[in-house]
Each structure stands twice: as C-alpha cells, then as structure tokens.
C-alpha cells in the first residue's frame, strides 16, 4: 500500500470526540484525504461526520477496513479499544497512528509492538507534546550536550476538569481507561517527553497515588471529554483510580527526577511544565507559553528563546510551520507530528530509525506506568522491567 504523494494518501479516524476532531483537522492541513470516521454507533458517527464535513461515517470497523482508499487508520477511541482496533487495522494492512496511552497495560502494548514489527507497517503513538517546535529544539540542545550532563528532571502536569464529584468521563472507569488514570492520561505525556528531550530512560520509580474523591456521580446519559454541564440524572460510583500522583524518578544515567500529576488542581486547565538541570546549564518550558524556552546559566545571563525557525536547530525548524512571533499551539503539534509520520507512509514503510514516537516508545512508557502502579501498591522503589529483547527507540541517537 505505497502512495507516492501525500495528496494520494487516504486516512480514516476511529473516534469522533475531543481528539478525533483534532486528528481530522490536522490531517486535512497536511493534505491527507480523510475518507471517513467511525463513531461509537453508526448514528453518532454520521452526526459527527456531518459536523466535521467528512464524506462518510463507517458502520463498523469491518466497513472501514473494507474501504480500499484508506491507507492509514487513526485510533482515537477510549483506551480499552486501542488494542483490538489497532491489531485489526494492522492485520488489514493499514498503517496506524494510535493515541496515548498506547494500551491498557504493558502486556497489551507489547502485543502492538510485535504486531507492528511483523507487519512492516508505519506505527506511531500520538505523543504530540514532542512536536511543539521548542520541545524538538530542547531535545537537540539537551542530547547535544549543551546543558552538560543531565542531573535533575522535574515538573508537573496539572488539570482541573475532574475537580468536582459531579465531573464524569470514561477515564474514571478502569475497564475503559486503565488501572492508572491521571498518570495514564496525562502523566504519560510528561514521562514520554522527558525521555525524548533528555534521551534517557526512567529505570526506577517511587510513586504515591491519591484518590481524594472516592465516590462520583455518573450521569445516566453520554458525556463528552471536558464537558462542563452537570447532568440532572446520576448514579453514585466508587472511584478506584488516582486523582493525583507524586512520583520520584531515577534515570539510566543517574539523573534524578520528580513529577506531580493532577486532574483536580483548581484553575489549572492544562498546565504542563518541565525543568531540566544539567551540569552546566538548564532548560525549562511551560505549555501555557509554548513559544518560549528558558535557558538557565550560572556564569552568564539567562536566555529566553522565542520560537523562531531561524534560531532553532533542524528538528525545531522542521516542526515549526510559522515564522517567529506567530504562536504555535496544541493543534499545531498534531500537524507537525503527522508530517513526520506521513513521510514514512509516503515512502511505504517505517524508516530504520523513525524520528517520531513509535509503538515501541508507547510501550516503553507503559512499562514505566506499570512500575509506577506497582510502586504505589508496595510503597517502595520499583525498577522498570524492560523486555529482554530491545524494542525501544528511546535512545538519544534514535531521535536526532
Ligand atoms: N494526544 C493528546 O493530547 C490527547 C488528548 C485527549 C485525548 N487523547 C486520547 O485520545 C483518546 C480519546 O480521548 P478523547 O478525549 O477524544 O475522548 P472522547 O470521549 O472525547 O472521545 C472518544 C470517542 O470515541 C468514540 N467511541 C467510543 N466507542 C467507540 C467504538 N467502539 N468505535 C469507535 N469509536 C468509539 C466516542 O463516541 C467518542 O467519539 C484516548 O485514548 C485519550 O487518551 C489524547
């Protein structure tokens, strides 16, 4: 299924919620034909296809996979569906872009890595945070040695959309979202980004998980992600997953880290921050000011790099679509990520060392999640147990 030009490539998107919409719009922006979407029911899919201006909604996954114009399937459904929908798509010879977290557990994500490797098809995990141009640039700065040896990696990912007991979403159900909630949903982005920017892997964790809201009111009707209305009719549900997490980290080069993750921090809508302190300099970034990278120094004045293709290295330049002074945000990262992925789709298969996050990266992040869950359960440090055969691409060289 080799396409020669991006305009000849066809895609379909599974899931038509918050992030499925962002996928459709980013695909259009890079020139890919979106032939259809698949929703939870044919009726919901048809309504969303109409709103999105997509030609059709498929009735089922079989119906989607029977469409010969579809080269690439984007999986943006709830987490429990990533494994079956991705396996079916690969088996039908389709390249796949799958949302994070890649699966419900590392057992599942390992299956996806193996199936993708056996298929020879392009496989990408949608860690879009890597594609803020300054995060690509930070990767070049840090892995290029410009801050010296990486020593401390700290930060947070805070949101407030699950602050109230009346806030509800499928992510609160472990059978849909996974055993970890805040960590799986948003901590996964932070952990992946730090592995990418530093080029180092987390080898050991000490985690504490907290569930402050032990019972929530589930609406009897469907709920959209980030919806603000309070439903009139609800049923009480006990909550087993964490609202917040405090995690200490050890990296493979001896660096130490700490991250806080929360979905109950009033006022913080989507606050993703990191700071990396090296032996000579530091870098820091904040998703609420994504066009600024702070560079800290001991013996000369600190700097703030405003995103500017003319002042960044090749990776930052490739991710930037606009000149300096024109802010690029969340939705832009999807287009930048997909441009990298679709270069391989156009080539007919994955490069020897893909520059974008693959299923192997998604799996590696799931292995860290499993260690976090185990550490919280045991109340002690736990090592990340990696597969005996190397499946990862999270080395500094792999992303340069
Ligand atoms: N990369 C990011 O920044 C980012 C942001 C948000 C969500 N996500 C991920 O994207 C996925 C979806 O999250 P969301 O926030 O869009 O959720 P959502 O609830 O807004 O949307 C989920 C969609 O999946 C559809 N769906 C449910 N069952 C289905 C089925 N059997 N077949 C096809 N579609 C089905 C629903 O109808 C809905 O349209 C999750 O895995 C989440 O972790 C990633």
């Amino acid at each position: 299924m080799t396409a020669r030009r991006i305009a000849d490539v066809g895609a379909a998107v599974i899931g038509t919620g918050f992030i499925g919409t962002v996928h459709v719009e980013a695909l259009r922006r890079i020139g890919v034909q979106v032939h259809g979407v698949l929703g939870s029911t044919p009726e919901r899919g048809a309504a969303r296809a109409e709103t999105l201006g997509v030609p059709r909604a498929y009735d089922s996954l079989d119906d989607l996979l029977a469409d010969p114009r579809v080269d690439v399937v984007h999986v943006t459904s709830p987490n429990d569906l990533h494994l079956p929908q991705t396996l079916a798509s690969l088996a039908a010879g389709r390249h796949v872009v799958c949302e994070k977290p890649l699966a419900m557990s590392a057992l599942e994500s390992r299956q996806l890595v193996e199936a993708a490797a056996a298929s020879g098809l392009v496989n990408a995990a949608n860690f879009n945070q890597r594609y803020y141009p300054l995060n690509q640039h930070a990767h070049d700065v840090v892995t290029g040695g410009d801050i010296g040896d990486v020593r401390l990696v700290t930060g947070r990912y805070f949101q407030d959309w699950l602050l109230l007991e009346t806030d509800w979403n499928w992510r609160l159900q472990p059978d849909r979202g996974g055993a970890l909630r805040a960590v799986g949903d948003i901590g996964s982005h932070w952990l992946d980004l730090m592995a990418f920017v530093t080029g180092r892997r987390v080898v050991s964790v000490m985690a504490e998980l907290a569930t402050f809201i032990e019972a929530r009111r589930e609406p009897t009707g469907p709920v959209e992600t980030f919806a603000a209305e309070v439903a009139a009719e609800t049923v009480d549900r006990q909550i087993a997953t964490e609202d917040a997490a405090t995690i200490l980290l050890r990296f493979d080069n001896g660096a130490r880290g700490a991250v806080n993750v929360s979905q109950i921090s009033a006022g913080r809508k989507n606050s993703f921050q990191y700071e990396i302190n090296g032996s000579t300099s530091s870098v820091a970034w904040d998703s609420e000011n994504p066009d600024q990278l702070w560079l800290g120094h001991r013996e000369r004045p600190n700097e703030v790099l405003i995103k500017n293709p003319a002042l960044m290295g090749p990776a930052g330049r490739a991710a930037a679509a606009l000149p300096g002074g024109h802010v690029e945000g969340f939705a832009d990262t999807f287009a930048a990520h997909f441009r990298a992925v679709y270069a391989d789709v156009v080539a007919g298969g994955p490069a020897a060392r893909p520059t974008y996050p693959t299923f192997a990266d998604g799996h590696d992040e799931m292995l860290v999640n499993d260690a976090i869950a185990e550490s919280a359960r045991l109340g002690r440090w736990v090592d990340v147990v990696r597969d005996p055969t190397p499946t990862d691409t999270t080395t500094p060289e792999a992303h340069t």
Side-chain angles (χ1 to χ4, degrees):
M1 199 159 289
T2 306
R4 285 199 303 267
R5 299 181 316 143
I6 195 122
D8 298 330
V9 177
V13 177
I14 302 177
T16 56
F18 164 46
I19 223 63
T21 302
V22 181
H23 280 245
V24 168
E25 289 171 356
L27 285 169
R28 284 185 175 138
R29 190 171 143 191
I30 68 164
V32 171
Q33 305 291 315
V34 183
H35 292 298
V37 292
L38 176 65
S40 53
T41 63
E43 296 71 31
R44 269 178 69 87
R48 292 296 297 148
E50 178 72 20
T51 312
L52 289 166
V54 169
R56 62 173 293 197
Y58 298 102
D59 286 344
S60 64
L61 184 55
D62 286 344
D63 187 22
L64 184 160
L65 295 174
D67 186 342
R69 300 166 305 167
V70 173
D71 302 291
V72 188
V73 176
H74 287 242
V75 177
T76 79
S77 46
N79 305 347
D80 61 314
L81 297 172
H82 293 183
L83 177 78
Q85 292 174 337
T86 300
L87 286 179
S89 301
L90 290 171
R94 284 1 191 266
H95 308 289
V96 179
V97 177
C98 184
E99 268 300 344
K100 48 46 60 180
L102 185 58
M104 298 281 277
S105 67
L107 275 179
E108 286 193 6
S109 55
R110 182 177 295 116
Q111 285 184 60
L112 292 177
V113 172
E114 288 169 359
S119 74
L121 293 159
V122 174
N123 56 96
N126 192 38
F127 285 117
N128 61 294
Q129 300 279 340
R130 293 188 186 195
Y131 282 87
Y132 284 96
L134 285 171
N135 285 339
Q136 290 284 317
H137 182 69
H139 162 79
D140 281 356
V141 167
V142 176
T143 60
D146 291 0
I147 68 164
D149 297 331
V150 172
R151 289 176 171 170
L152 277 181
V153 183
T154 54
R156 73 177 193 200
Y157 199 156
F158 285 177
Q159 299 180 333
D160 76 356
W161 67 292
L162 293 175
L163 174 65
L164 307 175
E165 64 175 17
T166 47
D167 294 326
W168 186 262
N169 186 268
W170 57 261
R171 288 166 174 83
L172 292 153
Q173 300 167 254
D175 60 334
R176 300 233 72 187
L180 290 177
R181 189 223 316 162
V183 172
D185 195 32
I186 54 178
S188 55
H189 273 303
W190 193 94
L191 291 162
D192 173 75
L193 187 67
M194 290 305 91
F196 172 64
V197 171
T198 64
R200 313 294 349 172
R201 299 202 302 192
V202 171
V203 292
S204 202
V205 299
M206 170 75 214
E208 181 163 42
L209 307 179
T211 307
F212 296 101
I213 304 168
E214 291 175 346
R216 288 178 183 259
R217 289 192 256 149
E218 179 185 2
T220 47
V223 184
E224 289 292 332
T225 300
F226 285 112
E229 312 88 57
V230 176
E233 283 190 38
T234 60
V235 285
D236 288 353
R237 296 281 182 224
Q238 289 304 117
I239 299 298
T241 55
E242 78 284 0
D243 296 314
T246 307
I247 310 167
L248 299 178
L249 307 161
R250 288 182 189 144
F251 289 81
D252 57 6
N253 67 330
R256 304 302 154 96
V259 61
N260 283 90
V261 179
S262 158
Q263 294 176 314
I264 48 123
S265 295
R268 298 297 179 192
K269 305 304 168 191
N270 194 46
S271 174
F272 182 133
Q273 299 177 347
Y274 67 80
E275 177 162 325
I276 302 168
N277 306 128
S279 52
T280 59
S281 293
S282 304
V283 295
W285 181 83
D286 177 347
S287 65
E288 292 182 351
N289 285 304
D291 268 16
Q292 297 187 15
L293 185 70
W294 180 83
L295 298 145
H297 309 292
R298 159 83 177 244
E299 284 157 353
R300 59 190 167 97
N302 298 336
E303 302 163 279
V304 176
L305 172 63
I306 310 289
K307 181 215 74 181
N308 185 339
L311 299 178
M312 296 186 294
R317 260 200 309 280
L322 301 172
H326 300 76
V327 178
E328 290 182 74
F330 181 78
D332 298 288
T333 63
F334 287 69
H337 180 202
F338 297 168
R339 253 185 239 112
V341 173
Y342 276 75
D344 274 2
V345 170
V346 167
R353 302 184 123 195
T355 55
Y356 50 84
T358 62
F359 285 4
D361 296 290
H363 175 52
D364 201 74
E365 195 282 318
M366 292 299 307
L367 292 171
V368 178
N369 285 4
D370 279 7
I372 288 169
E374 184 73 348
S375 166
R377 195 176 66 77
L378 298 174
R380 64 166 171 78
W381 282 93
V382 166
D383 290 342
V384 178
V385 181
R386 292 205 157 79
D387 301 338
T389 51
T391 54
D392 68 291
T393 57
T394 52
T395 55
E397 299 76 23
H399 296 290
T400 51

